[in-house]
């Protein structure tokens, strides 16, 4: 599986791998650069569908983009 795997800290403060991001809307995502470009193209306050693999299963997650800077 090619995609981007998120990292977070677990209950004990140890690093834990998270969801694998494989797409945004209908665009396949394989690199961090592709992900940043896609979010920059979309802008703020846009509804998107994030395609992820979590625990070996593929999910579609609906969300809105936000400004974090």
């Amino acid at each position: 599986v090619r995609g981007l795997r998120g990292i977070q800290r677990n209950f004990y403060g140890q690093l834990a791998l998270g969801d694998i991001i494989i797409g945004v809307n209908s665009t396949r995502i394989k690199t961090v650069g592709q992900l940043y470009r896609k979010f920059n193209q979309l802008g703020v306050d846009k509804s998107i569908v994030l395609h992820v693999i979590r625990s070996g299963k593929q999910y579609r997650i609906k969300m809105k983009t936000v400004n974090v800077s």
Side-chain angles (χ1 to χ4, degrees), residues 4-23:
L4 303 173
R5 186 176 290 246
I7 298 176
Q8 57 193 18
R9 295 208 180 262
N10 65 17
F11 180 76
Y12 302 103
Q14 300 166 324
L15 291 177
L17 296 176
D19 296 341
I20 301 172
I21 301 169
I22 59 172

Side-chain angles (χ1 to χ4, degrees), residues 39-62:
F39 283 136
N40 284 333
Q41 290 171 354
L42 291 167
V44 178
D45 200 33
K46 303 292 181 186
S47 295
I48 65 166
V49 177
L50 195 63
H51 299 266
V52 302
I53 295 177
R54 179 182 295 162
S55 301
K57 296 181 181 177
Q58 190 168 337
Y59 294 91
R60 294 175 43 182
I61 303 168
K62 294 179 182 179

